[in-house]
Amino acid sequence: MTHHNTFSFKKLIQYFWIAVSGKETEFTTGSIRKAIFMLSIPMILEMLMESIFALVDIAYVSKVSVNAVATIGLTESVITLVYALAIGLSMAATAVVARRIGEKDVQGARVAAVQAISLGVLISIVIGIIGILFAKEILALMGGEPDLINEGFGYTKFMIGGNITVVLLFLINAIFRGAGNASIAMWALVLSNGLNIILDPMFIFGFGPIPEYGVMGAAIATNIGRGSAVLFQLGILFFGWSKIKLVLSDLVLNFKVMVNLIKVSLGGIAQFLIGTSSWIFLMRIMSEFGSEVLAGYTIAIRVMMFTLMPSWGMSNAAATLVGQNLGAQQPDRAEVSVWKTGKYNAIFMGTVSLVYLIFAKQIISWFNTTPDVVKNGSLCLQIIAAGYIFYAYGMVVSQAFNGAGDTKTPTKINLISFWMFQLPLAYVAALVLEWGALGVFIAITLAEVILAILAIVWFKKGNWKQVQV
């Protein structure tokens, strides 16, 4: 028996290395469990890097001032609109590239990659100009106090002005993932976030010749880190070892492919916008209860993001598996992949929710010890963690629709769960029934439960198997 266990442990380590080095890119045959593992590991690590960075960032900035933390909260809620475009395009890129790779049409995948990147560049230039010109107005719109605006507008200006770095980072990683090269995407983020963690304190607090920029320094460091990673990605696309290799003659605009990408990405953008605009409204309701409640909520959400990220990683694996298997004409294999991934995700999220339910206060007080911040932050963690198992299935199944190129269904599900249910409930519970922040937290959890149920019911109907991209 022990012999067998050491064998499987050895095999696990061996698989882990294959996954991280990205040797394997063919997921339409062989063991489904192994395919989920090979794709999930780099995607989970990639997402963990993102969330480690978010935590480190907020930890450094917390040392600047409460205003600085609040600035990040308000700017992030606006930048999520940029993320929405980037993520929507990324979903489309992953779906189309995975489908072409499944059909063994590498040239088609290359064409799609070039169109996606061109679109990303165009969009981010427009957004960047708006961010540079109107940083103060944006913060004011979000309800920032005058002193917060004066201290924080530099951060907002750099974050929105330099959005091209995050848009391209997302997009090119999505292309790698669709091609099954999830490990390259992971290494790009290791580079970007590694640089970030080193540069963050230098630019925030000053270091040698670098002056002390305060909260704005966080934005400068972020852009340098992400920008370097984008150069690394482009290097690999043109000179590297990924399945999709571009040459100069590929750099042609192909409007047919571009329009197709825009069509698929509209659903992805809409999904994300529905989700994030509801976040923005929740933030707005939360700001009624003062800076300390808002800070508690911001910290709790960051902590949760840390554990949601691996879960996202698994969901992204489901999207690639669905895309590649539909391309290879294996809809049943695609479906089995989704249920298996959902199960693994639920086991993971269930474990995490127990940790949050038991240790919420301790976790929040690592970041801030103000009693009100801890009280609200830990309450938020516990109530939202209660719905984690539903969340696990909801995420995987929604991403499976996206991987099939059916971005409309999850959009409908998000509309019902967030706008028709979560927001009205949060408003009534928090402000009309005067439950305060508690009302918002309960609305968040119940909305996730409804989302999961709707997603599973619609997925079982199987219409996603017929989608053409």
Side-chain angles (χ1 to χ4, degrees), residues 2-36:
T2 43
H3 172 76
H4 174 75
N5 280 350
T6 51
F7 165 74
S8 56
F9 183 69
K10 256 193 195 148
K11 202 163 187 180
L12 197 73
I13 298 292
Q14 182 194 350
Y15 278 176
F16 183 85
W17 277 116
I18 296 175
V20 174
S21 61
K23 299 271 191 306
E24 189 142 338
T25 52
E26 175 53 65
F27 301 109
T28 51
T29 50
S31 150
I32 293 181
R33 187 189 280 181
K34 183 179 166 193
I36 295 172

Side-chain angles (χ1 to χ4, degrees), residues 157-233:
K157 191 163 159 176
F158 268 94
M159 285 306 281
I160 302 179
N163 78 89
I164 188 163
T165 57
V166 77
V167 171
L168 289 183
L169 192 59
F170 271 17
L171 249 185
I172 302 176
N173 271 354
I175 293 167
F176 286 142
R177 280 200 295 265
N181 296 119
S183 69
I184 303 178
M186 174 194 81
W187 289 114
L189 279 185
V190 168
L191 174 70
S192 128
N193 293 323
L195 277 172
N196 245 327
I197 288 169
I198 299 164
L199 296 173
D200 235 4
M202 293 184 181
F203 281 94
I204 295 176
F205 307 115
F207 180 82
I210 302 171
E212 180 180 338
Y213 285 110
V215 66
M216 182 168 104
I220 299 174
T222 302
N223 278 329
I224 297 176
R226 284 181 177 155
S228 315
V230 170
L231 295 175
F232 164 78
Q233 290 172 320

Side-chain angles (χ1 to χ4, degrees), residues 204-439:
I204 295 176
F205 307 115
F207 180 82
I210 302 171
E212 180 180 338
Y213 285 110
V215 66
M216 182 168 104
I220 299 174
T222 302
N223 278 329
I224 297 176
R226 284 181 177 155
S228 315
V230 170
L231 295 175
F232 164 78
Q233 290 172 320
L234 290 171
I236 287 182
L237 272 180
F238 284 98
F239 310 108
W241 61 91
S242 84
K243 201 161 210 181
I244 295 184
K245 211 169 165 176
L246 300 181
V247 285
L248 284 175
S249 60
D250 287 326
L251 302 184
V252 198
L253 292 183
N254 177 326
F255 287 105
K256 195 175 151 217
V257 177
M258 203 179 255
V259 169
N260 183 30
L261 273 169
I262 293 174
K263 264 196 212 136
V264 179
S265 64
L266 285 176
I269 293 170
Q271 271 170 62
F272 199 78
L273 279 182
I274 291 166
T276 44
S277 56
S278 67
W279 272 130
I280 294 179
F281 282 115
L282 292 179
M283 266 287 181
R284 191 69 196 83
I285 298 175
M286 293 298 285
S287 66
E288 295 291 313
F289 311 120
S291 270
E292 289 180 341
V293 178
L294 196 58
Y297 175 67
T298 302
I299 292 170
I301 296 295
R302 278 285 169 105
V303 171
M304 280 164 30
M305 279 304 165
F306 188 71
T307 45
L308 286 180
M309 287 300 178
S311 191
W312 257 112
M314 276 188 243
S315 314
N316 284 336
T320 299
L321 285 169
V322 168
Q324 289 199 3
N325 284 305
L326 287 179
Q329 311 282 310
Q330 297 176 312
D332 296 343
R333 184 181 164 89
E335 186 168 354
V336 175
S337 308
V338 175
W339 293 124
K340 284 199 169 167
T341 312
K343 186 178 83 181
Y344 300 141
N345 204 6
I347 295 169
F348 166 75
M349 293 288 272
T351 317
V352 171
S353 66
L354 289 176
V355 176
Y356 284 170
L357 291 169
I358 302 165
F359 301 110
K361 283 206 163 73
Q362 291 86 325
I363 295 173
I364 300 291
S365 48
W366 290 338
F367 295 90
N368 193 307
T369 46
T370 317
D372 253 6
V373 174
V374 175
K375 190 182 99 180
N376 284 288
S378 53
L379 183 69
C380 178
L381 261 190
Q382 287 167 324
I383 292 178
I384 296 180
Y388 257 20
I389 290 188
F390 285 96
Y391 203 61
Y393 271 102
M395 252 194 299
V396 169
V397 177
S398 298
Q399 280 301 81
F401 284 118
N402 291 326
D406 174 7
T407 48
K408 289 200 186 79
T409 305
T411 306
K412 285 182 213 152
I413 296 173
N414 281 4
L415 253 180
I416 298 170
S417 317
F418 295 136
W419 282 8
M420 295 157 91
F421 180 82
Q422 186 189 54
L423 289 178
L425 181 65
Y427 180 81
V428 171
L431 302 171
V432 182
L433 302 176
E434 297 185 350
W435 292 358
L438 175 69

